[in-house]
Amino acid sequence: TLFACMFLREYDAALDRIQHGFWIYPALVTLAVGSFIAWRNRGTTLLPMLHHLQTRSATFVYIGVVLLLFFSRTFGTGSLWEAVMGAAYDPQVK
């Protein structure tokens, strides 16, 4: 659910063709469906999740998510590129 919502948010430019900010509706549907599935299976979700968090691959996945969020927020802001490029700033660069 987390990765699906992140995907929808990251590729909101395609959904902006429908309406600006439209990505929120599919993301909310995804969140609702994922929450419902997790709630319905709440008795069998916690133990496998804890086992997953103890694996080496989970460590790499979550380090990757943190790095992705950090760099996408840092380099995705227009203010950074405006400061670096000055008068030659073009929004298409970011």
Side-chain angles (χ1 to χ4, degrees):
T1 301
L2 172 67
F3 291 132
C5 289
M6 287 175 63
F7 176 81
L8 288 168
R9 176 62 183 106
E10 193 64 31
Y11 291 101
D12 68 329
L15 295 172
D16 278 346
R17 293 179 183 164
I18 299 169
Q19 178 185 351
H20 181 69
F22 185 77
W23 69 271
I24 192 75
Y25 302 113
L28 287 174
V29 169
T30 303
L31 177 63
V33 169
S35 298
F36 173 74
I37 291 170
W39 180 78
R40 187 180 68 192
N41 298 308
R42 64 187 175 277
T44 60
T45 303
L46 186 60
L47 191 59
M49 188 175 198
L50 292 175
H51 285 299
H52 168 70
L53 290 174
Q54 294 173 350
T55 64
R56 183 177 174 98
S57 59
T59 303
F60 288 118
V61 167
Y62 295 112
I63 288 173
V65 167
V66 168
L67 288 173
L68 174 74
L69 292 173
F70 173 76
F71 284 110
S72 70
R73 294 296 102 196
T74 302
F75 293 112
T77 60
S79 59
L80 172 74
W81 292 111
E82 287 174 16
V84 171
M85 297 180 71
Y89 173 70
D90 182 14
Q92 295 297 325
V93 171
K94 70 176 191 170

